[in-house]
Amino acid sequence: MDWIEEYLENLGTRIRNLNLRKSLRLYIFVAVLAICLASAMTIQTCNGWKRIIETPYGHKTSENVFDKDRNAVFTFEYFAPEKELTKMDVILLEIINLLQYGCVLLYSVLAIAFVSRLYYRNKLKKPITIMTDAAQHISRNDMGYSCRYDSADEMGQLCRCLDDMRLKIISYQENLWKQAEDQRTLNAAFAHDLRTPLTVMQGYVDLLLRFYPDGRLPKEKVMEILKTMQEQLGRLKNFGGTMKEIHSMEERAPQLKKIPLSLLYDKTRETAAALEETGGMEIEVKLKGNPAAELLADEFFVLEVAENLLSNALRYADKKIEVLLEAEREEGPLRLYVKDDGRGFSKEELTKAVSPYYREKTEDDGQDSSHFGIGLSISALLCKKHGGELELANSIHGGAIVCAVFSCM
């Protein structure tokens, strides 16, 4: 009997997954069938009761009538009373006749009420309750309520759409929170680094105000102070430029188009050659993949990341920098590896080097002030916008390896 239970279970699942229109047709068909059966049984029962009541008072007879127009003989049956029916029996016969001729209407009204109630309870009530509760939770900013309704009909699809909307709202809020947190981190880093040149300038201004009016500062010292203040002003100017650059990168979306891998390779070699002349460092650029392959990528994003990674590697390399541009297939990711033979990343740098304005510590002032620490941060941002990521690692042979991944699908 297990197959019968399995068949009934599958049948119930198919009926439950019917769309609303087909379900309504099925409910109406079953209701009409029930009306017909109930009406036939009622009429048959009424005829039996009529015979029981009429039998003591007479008998049924038939009469043949010839229709000239149709040229046919019709037989009519009727009750021929032999004595008069009692008043109670007449009332009973009237009630039976009323029931016999009005049962179809009565059963139709009952079927409509029953089918509408059953249809609402089985197809509409539960999903409507689920969606109402979900909407109330969302209006209270409570995104933990899951709008789930296991059915393939329109109401199930609507519940899934509402749940997808809930998940997208959660993702949108998380992105907003992350952007706000990133902005606070960036502002804090900017304010921290801005405080250093301002403190230096304030100290020199106080020194000039205190000793210069009395002539206790020689001319050479004054010129040295002014030169240092000029350098600090240059740093402030660069701070503003780097902040503007980061914001412009955050607002820019990748413009994807088909680009030959050979073109990206040639442009990377040109960038490496220019940096090789200015940095006095050997830079070797290699290609892995089909040069004729066309990648769906943003040329600006790739070359900007390549330049940032090369500039960053020049500060730490001892003698040589190796660059590898890799794309094994057109639909796959594009990878840009930059390896130097320097000291490599420290444990702290492996986790914080992509943070805005992060700089490694030095023995003198605790931080390296030769750059502003945005190269890796901008590169990580561009990779993320291009559907990839920026990975940092240390080579087993010494030196740092940075891998920029760009999605080309």
Side-chain angles (χ1 to χ4, degrees):
M1 301 297 289
D2 292 341
W3 67 273
I4 297 179
E5 295 179 359
E6 183 178 357
Y7 175 78
L8 293 176
E9 183 178 354
N10 293 334
L11 180 62
T13 302
R14 288 198 296 269
I15 294 175
R16 187 168 57 253
N17 290 333
L18 287 175
N19 60 42
L20 298 182
R21 181 182 298 178
K22 291 182 179 179
S23 298
L24 183 59
R25 290 175 180 173
L26 178 62
Y27 277 69
I28 292 175
F29 172 77
V30 174
V32 171
L33 184 61
I35 291 171
C36 293
L37 292 176
S39 299
M41 293 176 61
T42 302
I43 292 173
Q44 187 68 23
T45 302
C46 288
N47 287 331
W49 280 104
K50 287 170 65 176
R51 285 195 298 269
I52 293 174
I53 295 174
E54 292 174 345
T55 298
Y57 297 97
H59 63 278
K60 276 194 173 182
T61 184
S62 62
E63 181 178 350
N64 296 327
V65 178
F66 179 74
D67 191 341
K68 296 181 179 180
D69 296 332
R70 300 183 181 180
N71 193 21
V73 177
F74 296 92
T75 302
F76 292 94
E77 291 186 355
Y78 60 93
F79 176 73
E82 297 177 354
K83 59 180 180 179
E84 188 176 355
L85 279 72
T86 64
K87 187 176 180 181
M88 179 60 68
D89 289 337
V90 171
I91 294 174
L92 289 175
L93 288 175
E94 291 294 334
I95 294 175
I96 291 173
N97 287 330
L98 180 63
L99 179 61
Q100 185 175 13
Y101 294 111
C103 64
V104 175
L105 178 61
L106 175 63
Y107 290 148
S108 297
V109 173
L110 293 177
I112 291 173
F114 180 75
V115 166
S116 60
R117 179 183 178 86
L118 191 64
Y119 183 78
Y120 175 78
R121 187 190 66 183
N122 293 341
K123 301 295 293 184
L124 301 178
K125 182 179 180 179
K126 184 176 180 179
I128 289 177
T129 302
I130 292 174
M131 287 187 290
T132 302
D133 292 341
Q136 291 176 351
H137 281 79
I138 292 175
S139 65
R140 296 194 297 266
N141 203 24
D142 178 11
M143 301 299 172
Y145 183 84
S146 179
C147 183
R148 293 186 178 273
Y149 177 63
D150 295 330
S151 178
D153 61 7
E154 293 88 342
M155 302 304 290
Q157 296 174 6
L158 190 58
C159 287
R160 285 189 289 273
C161 290
L162 185 60
D163 199 56
D164 291 341
M165 182 186 70
R166 177 185 67 87
L167 296 177
K168 289 181 179 179
I169 292 175
I170 293 175
S171 177
Y172 177 73
Q173 289 181 341
E174 289 177 348
N175 288 333
L176 285 180
W177 293 333
K178 186 178 183 304
Q179 290 177 5
E181 184 64 27
D182 291 344
Q183 188 63 45
R184 284 193 294 268
T185 303
L186 184 63
N187 292 339
F190 180 73
H192 178 271
D193 284 355
L194 192 64
R195 191 180 300 114
T196 301
L198 290 176
T199 302
V200 173
M201 293 176 64
Q202 182 64 47
Y204 282 127
V205 169
D206 293 340
L207 183 65
L208 291 173
L209 291 175
R210 182 177 180 181
F211 296 104
Y212 183 76
D214 300 337
R216 287 186 288 176
L217 285 178
K219 182 178 180 181
E220 293 78 7
K221 183 63 176 180
V222 172
M223 294 303 297
E224 181 182 348
I225 291 174
L226 292 177
K227 184 178 179 180
T228 303
M229 293 178 66
Q230 186 179 29
E231 293 175 354
Q232 298 302 321
L233 287 173
R235 290 191 64 192
L236 292 177
K237 183 179 180 181
N238 289 334
F239 270 127
T242 54
M243 285 292 292
K244 182 179 180 181
E245 184 177 2
I246 288 180
H247 286 297
S248 64
M249 292 298 180
E250 289 178 344
E251 296 173 358
R252 191 184 189 283
Q255 306 296 321
L256 303 179
K257 62 180 180 179
K258 289 286 187 178
I259 303 175
L261 180 59
S262 58
L263 177 61
L264 294 176
Y265 173 66
D266 292 339
K267 292 290 185 68
T268 304
R269 288 184 61 188
E270 292 175 4
T271 302
L275 292 175
E276 189 175 26
E277 292 181 1
T278 58
M281 193 75 60
E282 180 185 357
I283 302 178
E284 181 183 4
V285 183
K286 297 180 181 180
L287 175 64
K288 183 178 179 181
N290 182 13
E294 291 189 343
L295 306 176
L296 190 64
D298 188 311
E299 178 182 346
F300 170 80
F301 276 44
V302 176
L303 296 179
E304 180 71 15
V305 171
E307 182 178 355
N308 285 336
L309 297 186
L310 284 171
S311 300
N312 190 74
L314 282 173
R315 287 194 292 269
Y316 304 103
D318 292 334
K319 298 179 180 179
K320 185 178 180 180
I321 298 173
E322 297 178 10
V323 180
L324 175 62
L325 203 61
E326 179 185 55
E328 297 181 355
R329 60 183 187 275
E330 292 186 350
E331 295 80 11
L334 171 68
R335 289 184 171 86
L336 174 66
Y337 295 92
V338 177
K339 178 182 180 301
D340 63 65
D341 58 352
R343 61 174 178 80
F345 292 111
S346 65
K347 290 184 179 180
E348 181 182 6
E349 289 169 346
L350 285 173
T351 58
K352 298 182 179 180
V354 296
S355 301
Y357 291 102
Y358 174 80
R359 297 198 303 269
E360 68 278 7
K361 296 181 180 179
T362 61
E363 296 179 357
D364 298 332
D365 58 0
Q367 285 187 329
D368 176 20
S369 60
S370 61
H371 65 99
F372 302 108
I374 66 167
L376 291 179
S377 177
I378 290 178
S379 299
L381 176 63
L382 294 179
C383 289
K384 183 178 179 181
K385 283 181 170 291
H386 211 293
E389 58 182 344
L390 191 71
E391 302 173 353
L392 309 181
N394 287 322
S395 172
I396 58 176
H397 302 294
I401 300 177
V402 181
C403 176
V405 183
F406 305 89
S407 176
C408 299
M409 298 180 63

